[in-house]
Structures are given as structure tokens and as C-alpha cells.
Amino acid sequence: MDYTERQRKIIDIVKKRGPITGDEIGKILELTRGALRTDFSILTKNKILNSKPRKGYTYLGEGNTSGNKLGDKQVKTYMGVPSVLTEESTVYEAIVSLFLKDTGSLLIVKDGYLSGIVSRKDLLKHVMGGKENHKSPIGMIMTRMPNIIVCLPTDSIHSAAEKMVEHEIDSIPVVEEDIQDKKTRYKVLGKISKTTITRIFVDEFKKK
């Protein structure tokens, strides 16, 4: 599996200094532990690193993964085109977009970065509440960052599937990290859904 430059740095640090905590790694890289959360998740789920409470991270070895396994295939190969609106869009525009594109959720951006997500359930609650759909901005009802589960294009299909199961969600935004002044923002690249992942496994079994 291909890892980012930062993930390679983390692997190297843990190789040389492990066991080492996430905070200690963050200090070395001059980043917060929160900014590294996605990297730690990828490296532990792919069994490159092991994490133990109060002890930190230890190196397991890159021989524990195989790029040929189905679950190790990268999200970027299969991600779809997301349905995106801006925070200034109205609830009415979101409803129209949701049904015209036949999708389960819409990604909301502000200044080009992911700021929220809205689902059919969110819109249904708003409509049933009798509120004005033509005037209400979508920002009023969306789920905001940082309460959104995301994945990177280099994440494995297995990792994305685990997140969907753990958080009971139907799709995940695929994003590119943009770190400025120790703050992480996300540019939307695509999305990966349960339907897509199911299709991948079905197609693979058909080949056997």
C-alpha cells in the first residue's frame, strides 16, 4: 500500500523511538495529535503500528499487509462523484438536488472546504417541522465539522468499510487534507458508499 510522506515519517519515528505516544509524535512533527488522527487510524488498521493505552505506538512491520488483498485496494480507485452544495444554499435547493441526483446525502462546502453534510433524514425532520424551506439556509440543519467521518483517497476499502459499520453511516466523503497554522481543513475529492463497497466484493466473488 502507498503511504503519504507524513505517514512514512510517522512509521520512521515509531521504528526508532517506539513505544511513543501520539502527543510525542505530534511534537516531533510540529502538529497536534488531532491533525494526525487519520494517519494513526490508517497505520493501525493496516497493522503497520500497534497502539496500547498509556504506552503509545509500536512498530509491527510492513510485511503484515498485502496490496493484493481485496480489502487493501485504495478508495481513490472506486470513489464516486459527490453531490455538493454551499452553505448559502437553501433547504429547498437541497431537497431538489437530493432527489434529482438520487443520492442519500449532500456534502456542504464553505470557501472550498468541507463544512458539513446533510442527509435525507435531516431534510425530512426539517420539512415535518413545518419550517420555511425556501428561506432556511442548509447550514441550519447540517451536521458540521468536526463531527463528520472522512477518509483519504489512499485509505483502504477495508478501512472505509470499517468506518461505515462503526458509525452506522451509508457513505463517507473522500477528502484531501490541507493543514495551515496547525489547523486541518478538507477539500472534497469524492465519496465512497456502502453500495459501491458491496459491488466491489460481489464483482470480486464473481471472478472466482
Side-chain angles (χ1 to χ4, degrees):
M1 180 175 179
D2 294 329
Y3 295 104
T4 64
E5 181 180 351
R6 190 167 76 190
Q7 288 162 5
R8 286 290 176 189
K9 287 181 180 179
I10 292 172
I11 292 171
D12 190 53
I13 290 169
V14 177
K15 274 184 182 179
K16 295 176 180 178
R17 306 192 185 194
I20 182 171
T21 67
D23 289 330
E24 290 171 331
I25 295 171
K27 287 180 181 178
I28 294 171
L29 296 176
E30 297 184 343
L31 292 168
T32 64
R33 191 179 190 283
L36 298 172
R37 187 178 293 113
T38 300
D39 299 305
F40 290 141
S41 176
I42 291 170
L43 295 175
T44 53
K45 287 181 178 179
N46 287 327
K47 298 183 180 180
I48 303 299
L49 304 182
N50 184 41
S51 175
K52 290 186 178 180
R54 295 187 295 276
K55 289 187 177 181
Y57 294 92
T58 54
Y59 179 68
L60 293 177
E62 296 185 55
N64 289 296
T65 60
S66 171
N68 294 322
K69 292 181 180 179
L70 175 60
D72 289 339
K73 292 184 177 181
Q74 294 184 346
V75 166
K76 64 182 178 183
T77 306
Y78 302 98
M79 66 182 184
V81 178
S83 298
V84 180
L85 291 177
T86 65
E87 279 195 27
E88 292 74 26
S89 302
T90 64
V91 170
Y92 175 78
E93 290 171 326
I95 293 172
V96 172
S97 180
L98 194 77
F99 285 97
L100 284 178
K101 297 178 181 179
D102 191 25
T103 184
S105 61
L106 300 169
L107 303 184
I108 312 301
V109 298
K110 182 178 181 179
D111 299 326
Y113 294 95
L114 180 65
S115 62
I117 188 169
V118 64
S119 67
R120 290 180 184 234
K121 187 175 181 180
D122 296 326
L123 294 170
L124 181 60
K125 285 181 179 179
H126 184 84
V127 171
M128 291 182 68
K131 297 179 181 179
E132 179 56 63
N133 298 325
H134 286 78
K135 295 181 180 179
S136 300
I138 197 65
M140 288 180 58
I141 67 170
M142 70 183 188
T143 299
R144 291 183 174 274
M145 293 295 295
N147 301 312
I148 302 174
I149 306 303
V150 300
C151 65
L152 301 177
T154 52
D155 284 358
S156 68
I157 290 295
H158 179 261
S159 173
E162 280 191 328
K163 288 182 179 180
M164 290 182 193
V165 172
E166 179 182 353
H167 298 281
E168 298 181 351
I169 51 180
D170 294 326
S171 64
I172 301 178
V174 183
V175 300
E176 178 184 24
E177 291 182 322
D178 183 5
I179 302 173
Q180 297 180 14
D181 299 325
K182 297 185 179 180
K183 292 183 179 180
T184 303
R185 297 190 294 177
Y186 300 104
K187 291 183 178 179
V188 177
L189 301 179
K191 75 169 185 178
I192 188 79
S193 67
K194 278 185 179 179
T195 301
T196 299
I197 291 177
T198 302
R199 187 178 295 117
I200 293 169
F201 281 93
V202 170
D203 289 345
E204 189 67 20
F205 282 122
K206 284 181 179 179
K207 296 176 184 177
K208 295 182 179 181

